[in-house]
Amino acid sequence: MSKKLRLNRKCFPLLFMILTALTYAQTFERVEAIVGITSQNSNGISVADYDNDNDLDIFVVAKAIDNEENSNSLSRLYRNNNDGSFTDVTELAGFSDLYAPEEIPEAFEGLDGYKYGAYWGDYNNDGFPDLFLTYLDSVQLWRNLGNGTFTDVTVFAGLNA
């Protein structure tokens, strides 16, 4: 007994879309060094238009405890130049001692590194995105002053540093 395969005419558009998608799949190329982003060994990124110039800027979260002698241990803020490139503005923005505890905490085996996340949000409703950072044993809240700089308001906001 032989069965004939009958394709429903409604299946042709779906089949065409699948074949088209497979034929024109996107490919990606690593370009961070080309565009000016030099951070390595990171635990992620967070994007926002911190300077309100209508393009997304990038904050890269490093894993390690801050060590000025090792640039890969420092989290970085990169301003979008709106031409496909970025400029490291970490120091100009006022970010320093993002995670430099006096005592090194005991590492937690379930997580990689000491710094974990960066989250943008306007906590004080002034129209400028502020930055909240999470670490192994603490957090930091950085207020965007609206002029390209930030100030640490962790204690002022009632968060224990």
Side-chain angles (χ1 to χ4, degrees), residues 49-62:
D49 182 12
Y50 86 90
D51 53 2
N52 286 341
D53 63 355
N54 296 318
D55 54 30
L56 293 175
D57 309 294
I58 300 174
F59 188 88
V60 179
V61 181

Side-chain angles (χ1 to χ4, degrees), residues 76-94:
R76 295 283 180 200
L77 175 63
Y78 293 97
R79 185 186 66 231
N80 189 330
N81 298 324
N82 205 15
D83 63 1
S85 67
F86 292 83
T87 300
D88 183 347
V89 294
T90 309
E91 292 173 17
L92 291 173

Side-chain angles (χ1 to χ4, degrees), residues 22-64:
L22 293 174
T23 305
Y24 295 103
Q26 293 178 334
T27 59
F28 295 92
E29 180 180 339
R30 295 190 69 123
V31 296
E32 62 268 19
I34 297 168
V35 300
I37 299 174
T38 59
S39 297
Q40 296 177 1
N41 297 324
S42 67
N43 260 346
I45 65 166
S46 187
V47 297
D49 182 12
Y50 86 90
D51 53 2
N52 286 341
D53 63 355
N54 296 318
D55 54 30
L56 293 175
D57 309 294
I58 300 174
F59 188 88
V60 179
V61 181
K63 291 180 184 182

Side-chain angles (χ1 to χ4, degrees), residues 6-20:
R6 283 192 235 164
L7 290 176
N8 188 330
R9 290 183 184 183
K10 293 178 183 177
C11 293
F12 285 114
L14 179 60
L15 183 61
F16 179 75
M17 287 178 10
I18 292 171
L19 291 175
T20 303

